[in-house]
Amino acid sequence: MNTMTHKGYHARIDYDGDDELFFGRIAGIQDVVGFHGETVSELKAAFHEALDDYIEACAKIGKDPQKPYSGKMMFRVNPEVHRAAAIAADLSGKSLNQWAEEVLSRAAGQAGNYVEADLAA
């Protein structure tokens, strides 16, 4: 997966071989902000322009632009998993939040779910 980053926002990049066109969409927000370009340089400029336009449009209508993620996660797990994680965190001398962040970060990296490739030349 290829991504681009601008002002703290990330976009997933794909290529359409039929149209010979790079295209992308900002990830992690519900508003749809897309862009495209025939070259990497055009794609990068289109991404910056689309994001800047999105932020400007939100300001004009008095809406806060959606942020990709707040850093807060809430989810439920089996009580035994919770217990095991709490013990593992304690044994490693960390809070459950610190331990979970490290484990999730490693898992996301191993799964290739967050690979940031700089497409800029």
Side-chain angles (χ1 to χ4, degrees), residues 49-67:
E49 183 180 350
L51 180 58
D52 294 345
D53 287 350
Y54 168 67
I55 293 169
E56 184 180 317
C58 287
K60 283 182 182 177
I61 63 172
K63 171 186 170 183
D64 288 333
Q66 292 178 349
K67 296 293 181 188

mmCIF file with all atom_site columns, all heavy atoms in Angstrom, residues 49-67:
data_model
loop_
_atom_site.group_PDB
_atom_site.id
_atom_site.type_symbol
_atom_site.label_atom_id
_atom_site.label_alt_id
_atom_site.label_comp_id
_atom_site.label_asym_id
_atom_site.label_entity_id
_atom_site.label_seq_id
_atom_site.pdbx_PDB_ins_code
_atom_site.Cartn_x
_atom_site.Cartn_y
_atom_site.Cartn_z
_atom_site.occupancy
_atom_site.B_iso_or_equiv
_atom_site.pdbx_formal_charge
_atom_site.auth_seq_id
_atom_site.auth_comp_id
_atom_site.auth_asym_id
_atom_site.auth_atom_id
_atom_site.pdbx_PDB_model_num
ATOM 1   N N   . GLU A 1 49 ? -3.482  20.331 -2.634 1.00 0.00 ? 49 GLU A N   1
ATOM 2   C CA  . GLU A 1 49 ? -4.562  21.250 -2.994 1.00 0.00 ? 49 GLU A CA  1
ATOM 3   C C   . GLU A 1 49 ? -5.911  20.768 -2.453 1.00 0.00 ? 49 GLU A C   1
ATOM 4   O O   . GLU A 1 49 ? -6.692  21.552 -1.908 1.00 0.00 ? 49 GLU A O   1
ATOM 5   C CB  . GLU A 1 49 ? -4.638  21.416 -4.506 1.00 0.00 ? 49 GLU A CB  1
ATOM 6   C CG  . GLU A 1 49 ? -5.699  22.407 -4.950 1.00 0.00 ? 49 GLU A CG  1
ATOM 7   C CD  . GLU A 1 49 ? -5.751  22.568 -6.469 1.00 0.00 ? 49 GLU A CD  1
ATOM 8   O OE1 . GLU A 1 49 ? -4.866  22.067 -7.179 1.00 0.00 ? 49 GLU A OE1 1
ATOM 9   O OE2 . GLU A 1 49 ? -6.714  23.208 -6.927 1.00 0.00 ? 49 GLU A OE2 1
ATOM 10  N N   . ALA A 1 50 ? -6.190  19.477 -2.597 1.00 0.00 ? 50 ALA A N   1
ATOM 11  C CA  . ALA A 1 50 ? -7.469  18.928 -2.118 1.00 0.00 ? 50 ALA A CA  1
ATOM 12  C C   . ALA A 1 50 ? -7.593  19.076 -0.606 1.00 0.00 ? 50 ALA A C   1
ATOM 13  O O   . ALA A 1 50 ? -8.649  19.463 -0.098 1.00 0.00 ? 50 ALA A O   1
ATOM 14  C CB  . ALA A 1 50 ? -7.602  17.462 -2.527 1.00 0.00 ? 50 ALA A CB  1
ATOM 15  N N   . LEU A 1 51 ? -6.521  18.791 0.115  1.00 0.00 ? 51 LEU A N   1
ATOM 16  C CA  . LEU A 1 51 ? -6.573  18.910 1.571  1.00 0.00 ? 51 LEU A CA  1
ATOM 17  C C   . LEU A 1 51 ? -6.707  20.364 1.988  1.00 0.00 ? 51 LEU A C   1
ATOM 18  O O   . LEU A 1 51 ? -7.527  20.693 2.850  1.00 0.00 ? 51 LEU A O   1
ATOM 19  C CB  . LEU A 1 51 ? -5.335  18.280 2.215  1.00 0.00 ? 51 LEU A CB  1
ATOM 20  C CG  . LEU A 1 51 ? -5.299  18.362 3.733  1.00 0.00 ? 51 LEU A CG  1
ATOM 21  C CD1 . LEU A 1 51 ? -6.533  17.690 4.360  1.00 0.00 ? 51 LEU A CD1 1
ATOM 22  C CD2 . LEU A 1 51 ? -4.031  17.733 4.265  1.00 0.00 ? 51 LEU A CD2 1
ATOM 23  N N   . ASP A 1 52 ? -5.941  21.241 1.377  1.00 0.00 ? 52 ASP A N   1
ATOM 24  C CA  . ASP A 1 52 ? -6.048  22.671 1.699  1.00 0.00 ? 52 ASP A CA  1
ATOM 25  C C   . ASP A 1 52 ? -7.440  23.209 1.379  1.00 0.00 ? 52 ASP A C   1
ATOM 26  O O   . ASP A 1 52 ? -8.008  23.985 2.157  1.00 0.00 ? 52 ASP A O   1
ATOM 27  C CB  . ASP A 1 52 ? -4.967  23.469 0.955  1.00 0.00 ? 52 ASP A CB  1
ATOM 28  C CG  . ASP A 1 52 ? -3.549  23.136 1.428  1.00 0.00 ? 52 ASP A CG  1
ATOM 29  O OD1 . ASP A 1 52 ? -3.397  22.522 2.510  1.00 0.00 ? 52 ASP A OD1 1
ATOM 30  O OD2 . ASP A 1 52 ? -2.600  23.476 0.702  1.00 0.00 ? 52 ASP A OD2 1
ATOM 31  N N   . ASP A 1 53 ? -8.018  22.772 0.251  1.00 0.00 ? 53 ASP A N   1
ATOM 32  C CA  . ASP A 1 53 ? -9.379  23.184 -0.102 1.00 0.00 ? 53 ASP A CA  1
ATOM 33  C C   . ASP A 1 53 ? -10.394 22.664 0.914  1.00 0.00 ? 53 ASP A C   1
ATOM 34  O O   . ASP A 1 53 ? -11.339 23.368 1.270  1.00 0.00 ? 53 ASP A O   1
ATOM 35  C CB  . ASP A 1 53 ? -9.760  22.685 -1.494 1.00 0.00 ? 53 ASP A CB  1
ATOM 36  C CG  . ASP A 1 53 ? -9.060  23.439 -2.614 1.00 0.00 ? 53 ASP A CG  1
ATOM 37  O OD1 . ASP A 1 53 ? -8.421  24.477 -2.345 1.00 0.00 ? 53 ASP A OD1 1
ATOM 38  O OD2 . ASP A 1 53 ? -9.145  22.961 -3.772 1.00 0.00 ? 53 ASP A OD2 1
ATOM 39  N N   . TYR A 1 54 ? -10.210 21.437 1.361  1.00 0.00 ? 54 TYR A N   1
ATOM 40  C CA  . TYR A 1 54 ? -11.099 20.842 2.363  1.00 0.00 ? 54 TYR A CA  1
ATOM 41  C C   . TYR A 1 54 ? -11.062 21.656 3.659  1.00 0.00 ? 54 TYR A C   1
ATOM 42  O O   . TYR A 1 54 ? -12.109 22.017 4.212  1.00 0.00 ? 54 TYR A O   1
ATOM 43  C CB  . TYR A 1 54 ? -10.706 19.392 2.621  1.00 0.00 ? 54 TYR A CB  1
ATOM 44  C CG  . TYR A 1 54 ? -11.370 18.777 3.822  1.00 0.00 ? 54 TYR A CG  1
ATOM 45  C CD1 . TYR A 1 54 ? -12.745 18.555 3.844  1.00 0.00 ? 54 TYR A CD1 1
ATOM 46  C CD2 . TYR A 1 54 ? -10.633 18.416 4.936  1.00 0.00 ? 54 TYR A CD2 1
ATOM 47  C CE1 . TYR A 1 54 ? -13.365 17.992 4.958  1.00 0.00 ? 54 TYR A CE1 1
ATOM 48  C CE2 . TYR A 1 54 ? -11.234 17.841 6.043  1.00 0.00 ? 54 TYR A CE2 1
ATOM 49  C CZ  . TYR A 1 54 ? -12.598 17.639 6.053  1.00 0.00 ? 54 TYR A CZ  1
ATOM 50  O OH  . TYR A 1 54 ? -13.200 17.085 7.155  1.00 0.00 ? 54 TYR A OH  1
ATOM 51  N N   . ILE A 1 55 ? -9.879  21.968 4.123  1.00 0.00 ? 55 ILE A N   1
ATOM 52  C CA  . ILE A 1 55 ? -9.728  22.739 5.367  1.00 0.00 ? 55 ILE A CA  1
ATOM 53  C C   . ILE A 1 55 ? -10.341 24.130 5.203  1.00 0.00 ? 55 ILE A C   1
ATOM 54  O O   . ILE A 1 55 ? -11.054 24.627 6.081  1.00 0.00 ? 55 ILE A O   1
ATOM 55  C CB  . ILE A 1 55 ? -8.247  22.814 5.788  1.00 0.00 ? 55 ILE A CB  1
ATOM 56  C CG1 . ILE A 1 55 ? -7.759  21.403 6.192  1.00 0.00 ? 55 ILE A CG1 1
ATOM 57  C CG2 . ILE A 1 55 ? -8.037  23.816 6.907  1.00 0.00 ? 55 ILE A CG2 1
ATOM 58  C CD1 . ILE A 1 55 ? -6.257  21.287 6.379  1.00 0.00 ? 55 ILE A CD1 1
ATOM 59  N N   . GLU A 1 56 ? -10.107 24.754 4.065  1.00 0.00 ? 56 GLU A N   1
ATOM 60  C CA  . GLU A 1 56 ? -10.665 26.086 3.779  1.00 0.00 ? 56 GLU A CA  1
ATOM 61  C C   . GLU A 1 56 ? -12.191 26.044 3.689  1.00 0.00 ? 56 GLU A C   1
ATOM 62  O O   . GLU A 1 56 ? -12.884 26.910 4.227  1.00 0.00 ? 56 GLU A O   1
ATOM 63  C CB  . GLU A 1 56 ? -10.078 26.626 2.478  1.00 0.00 ? 56 GLU A CB  1
ATOM 64  C CG  . GLU A 1 56 ? -10.507 28.040 2.141  1.00 0.00 ? 56 GLU A CG  1
ATOM 65  C CD  . GLU A 1 56 ? -9.878  28.521 0.835  1.00 0.00 ? 56 GLU A CD  1
ATOM 66  O OE1 . GLU A 1 56 ? -8.681  28.278 0.624  1.00 0.00 ? 56 GLU A OE1 1
ATOM 67  O OE2 . GLU A 1 56 ? -10.611 29.144 0.038  1.00 0.00 ? 56 GLU A OE2 1
ATOM 68  N N   . ALA A 1 57 ? -12.737 25.034 3.020  1.00 0.00 ? 57 ALA A N   1
ATOM 69  C CA  . ALA A 1 57 ? -14.196 24.907 2.890  1.00 0.00 ? 57 ALA A CA  1
ATOM 70  C C   . ALA A 1 57 ? -14.838 24.707 4.261  1.00 0.00 ? 57 ALA A C   1
ATOM 71  O O   . ALA A 1 57 ? -15.898 25.285 4.543  1.00 0.00 ? 57 ALA A O   1
ATOM 72  C CB  . ALA A 1 57 ? -14.547 23.754 1.964  1.00 0.00 ? 57 ALA A CB  1
ATOM 73  N N   . CYS A 1 58 ? -14.208 23.914 5.103  1.00 0.00 ? 58 CYS A N   1
ATOM 74  C CA  . CYS A 1 58 ? -14.735 23.712 6.456  1.00 0.00 ? 58 CYS A CA  1
ATOM 75  C C   . CYS A 1 58 ? -14.760 25.027 7.222  1.00 0.00 ? 58 CYS A C   1
ATOM 76  O O   . CYS A 1 58 ? -15.742 25.333 7.907  1.00 0.00 ? 58 CYS A O   1
ATOM 77  C CB  . CYS A 1 58 ? -13.904 22.668 7.209  1.00 0.00 ? 58 CYS A CB  1
ATOM 78  S SG  . CYS A 1 58 ? -14.160 20.975 6.637  1.00 0.00 ? 58 CYS A SG  1
ATOM 79  N N   . ALA A 1 59 ? -13.697 25.804 7.098  1.00 0.00 ? 59 ALA A N   1
ATOM 80  C CA  . ALA A 1 59 ? -13.629 27.090 7.790  1.00 0.00 ? 59 ALA A CA  1
ATOM 81  C C   . ALA A 1 59 ? -14.734 28.027 7.309  1.00 0.00 ? 59 ALA A C   1
ATOM 82  O O   . ALA A 1 59 ? -15.355 28.733 8.112  1.00 0.00 ? 59 ALA A O   1
ATOM 83  C CB  . ALA A 1 59 ? -12.257 27.722 7.584  1.00 0.00 ? 59 ALA A CB  1
ATOM 84  N N   . LYS A 1 60 ? -15.008 28.037 6.004  1.00 0.00 ? 60 LYS A N   1
ATOM 85  C CA  . LYS A 1 60 ? -16.030 28.916 5.441  1.00 0.00 ? 60 LYS A CA  1
ATOM 86  C C   . LYS A 1 60 ? -17.423 28.600 5.968  1.00 0.00 ? 60 LYS A C   1
ATOM 87  O O   . LYS A 1 60 ? -18.245 29.489 6.123  1.00 0.00 ? 60 LYS A O   1
ATOM 88  C CB  . LYS A 1 60 ? -16.032 28.837 3.909  1.00 0.00 ? 60 LYS A CB  1
ATOM 89  C CG  . LYS A 1 60 ? -14.910 29.597 3.268  1.00 0.00 ? 60 LYS A CG  1
ATOM 90  C CD  . LYS A 1 60 ? -15.003 29.530 1.751  1.00 0.00 ? 60 LYS A CD  1
ATOM 91  C CE  . LYS A 1 60 ? -13.838 30.259 1.112  1.00 0.00 ? 60 LYS A CE  1
ATOM 92  N NZ  . LYS A 1 60 ? -13.863 30.152 -0.354 1.00 0.00 ? 60 LYS A NZ  1
ATOM 93  N N   . ILE A 1 61 ? -17.694 27.323 6.209  1.00 0.00 ? 61 ILE A N   1
ATOM 94  C CA  . ILE A 1 61 ? -19.033 26.955 6.691  1.00 0.00 ? 61 ILE A CA  1
ATOM 95  C C   . ILE A 1 61 ? -19.086 26.801 8.213  1.00 0.00 ? 61 ILE A C   1
ATOM 96  O O   . ILE A 1 61 ? -20.111 26.417 8.766  1.00 0.00 ? 61 ILE A O   1
ATOM 97  C CB  . ILE A 1 61 ? -19.550 25.670 6.002  1.00 0.00 ? 61 ILE A CB  1
ATOM 98  C CG1 . ILE A 1 61 ? -18.667 24.466 6.318  1.00 0.00 ? 61 ILE A CG1 1
ATOM 99  C CG2 . ILE A 1 61 ? -19.703 25.887 4.515  1.00 0.00 ? 61 ILE A CG2 1
ATOM 100 C CD1 . ILE A 1 61 ? -19.238 23.144 5.821  1.00 0.00 ? 61 ILE A CD1 1
ATOM 101 N N   . GLY A 1 62 ? -17.968 27.105 8.876  1.00 0.00 ? 62 GLY A N   1
ATOM 102 C CA  . GLY A 1 62 ? -17.942 27.049 10.333 1.00 0.00 ? 62 GLY A CA  1
ATOM 103 C C   . GLY A 1 62 ? -17.875 25.642 10.903 1.00 0.00 ? 62 GLY A C   1
ATOM 104 O O   . GLY A 1 62 ? -18.305 25.405 12.028 1.00 0.00 ? 62 GLY A O   1
ATOM 105 N N   . LYS A 1 63 ? -17.342 24.724 10.136 1.00 0.00 ? 63 LYS A N   1
ATOM 106 C CA  . LYS A 1 63 ? -17.227 23.327 10.565 1.00 0.00 ? 63 LYS A CA  1
ATOM 107 C C   . LYS A 1 63 ? -15.763 23.006 10.828 1.00 0.00 ? 63 LYS A C   1
ATOM 108 O O   . LYS A 1 63 ? -14.891 23.412 10.062 1.00 0.00 ? 63 LYS A O   1
ATOM 109 C CB  . LYS A 1 63 ? -17.761 22.418 9.456  1.00 0.00 ? 63 LYS A CB  1
ATOM 110 C CG  . LYS A 1 63 ? -17.516 20.953 9.663  1.00 0.00 ? 63 LYS A CG  1
ATOM 111 C CD  . LYS A 1 63 ? -17.946 20.146 8.436  1.00 0.00 ? 63 LYS A CD  1
ATOM 112 C CE  . LYS A 1 63 ? -17.468 18.722 8.585  1.00 0.00 ? 63 LYS A CE  1
ATOM 113 N NZ  . LYS A 1 63 ? -17.780 17.912 7.433  1.00 0.00 ? 63 LYS A NZ  1
ATOM 114 N N   . ASP A 1 64 ? -15.493 22.290 11.897 1.00 0.00 ? 64 ASP A N   1
ATOM 115 C CA  . ASP A 1 64 ? -14.125 21.834 12.148 1.00 0.00 ? 64 ASP A CA  1
ATOM 116 C C   . ASP A 1 64 ? -13.804 20.697 11.176 1.00 0.00 ? 64 ASP A C   1
ATOM 117 O O   . ASP A 1 64 ? -14.609 19.779 11.021 1.00 0.00 ? 64 ASP A O   1
ATOM 118 C CB  . ASP A 1 64 ? -13.964 21.311 13.576 1.00 0.00 ? 64 ASP A CB  1
ATOM 119 C CG  . ASP A 1 64 ? -13.991 22.429 14.611 1.00 0.00 ? 64 ASP A CG  1
ATOM 120 O OD1 . ASP A 1 64 ? -13.618 23.565 14.252 1.00 0.00 ? 64 ASP A OD1 1
ATOM 121 O OD2 . ASP A 1 64 ? -14.367 22.158 15.760 1.00 0.00 ? 64 ASP A OD2 1
ATOM 122 N N   . PRO A 1 65 ? -12.652 20.757 10.518 1.00 0.00 ? 65 PRO A N   1
ATOM 123 C CA  . PRO A 1 65 ? -12.293 19.636 9.652  1.00 0.00 ? 65 PRO A CA  1
ATOM 124 C C   . PRO A 1 65 ? -12.126 18.369 10.493 1.00 0.00 ? 65 PRO A C   1
ATOM 125 O O   . PRO A 1 65 ? -11.670 18.441 11.636 1.00 0.00 ? 65 PRO A O   1
ATOM 126 C CB  . PRO A 1 65 ? -10.960 20.038 9.028  1.00 0.00 ? 65 PRO A CB  1
ATOM 127 C CG  . PRO A 1 65 ? -10.603 21.358 9.565  1.00 0.00 ? 65 PRO A CG  1
ATOM 128 C CD  . PRO A 1 65 ? -11.638 21.781 10.546 1.00 0.00 ? 65 PRO A CD  1
ATOM 129 N N   . GLN A 1 66 ? -12.540 17.259 9.935  1.00 0.00 ? 66 GLN A N   1
ATOM 130 C CA  . GLN A 1 66 ? -12.370 16.019 10.675 1.00 0.00 ? 66 GLN A CA  1
ATOM 131 C C   . GLN A 1 66 ? -10.884 15.729 10.811 1.00 0.00 ? 66 GLN A C   1
ATOM 132 O O   . GLN A 1 66 ? -10.106 15.972 9.898  1.00 0.00 ? 66 GLN A O   1
ATOM 133 C CB  . GLN A 1 66 ? -13.061 14.867 9.944  1.00 0.00 ? 66 GLN A CB  1
ATOM 134 C CG  . GLN A 1 66 ? -14.550 14.997 9.931  1.00 0.00 ? 66 GLN A CG  1
ATOM 135 C CD  . GLN A 1 66 ? -15.207 13.852 9.159  1.00 0.00 ? 66 GLN A CD  1
ATOM 136 O OE1 . GLN A 1 66 ? -14.571 13.084 8.477  1.00 0.00 ? 66 GLN A OE1 1
ATOM 137 N NE2 . GLN A 1 66 ? -16.516 13.780 9.294  1.00 0.00 ? 66 GLN A NE2 1
ATOM 138 N N   . LYS A 1 67 ? -10.516 15.231 11.964 1.00 0.00 ? 67 LYS A N   1
ATOM 139 C CA  . LYS A 1 67 ? -9.138  14.844 12.209 1.00 0.00 ? 67 LYS A CA  1
ATOM 140 C C   . LYS A 1 67 ? -9.024  13.351 11.962 1.00 0.00 ? 67 LYS A C   1
ATOM 141 O O   . LYS A 1 67 ? -9.959  12.595 12.220 1.00 0.00 ? 67 LYS A O   1
ATOM 142 C CB  . LYS A 1 67 ? -8.721  15.164 13.652 1.00 0.00 ? 67 LYS A CB  1
ATOM 143 C CG  . LYS A 1 67 ? -8.738  16.648 13.963 1.00 0.00 ? 67 LYS A CG  1
ATOM 144 C CD  . LYS A 1 67 ? -7.664  17.346 13.181 1.00 0.00 ? 67 LYS A CD  1
ATOM 145 C CE  . LYS A 1 67 ? -7.655  18.821 13.493 1.00 0.00 ? 67 LYS A CE  1
ATOM 146 N NZ  . LYS A 1 67 ? -6.780  19.581 12.655 1.00 0.00 ? 67 LYS A NZ  1
#
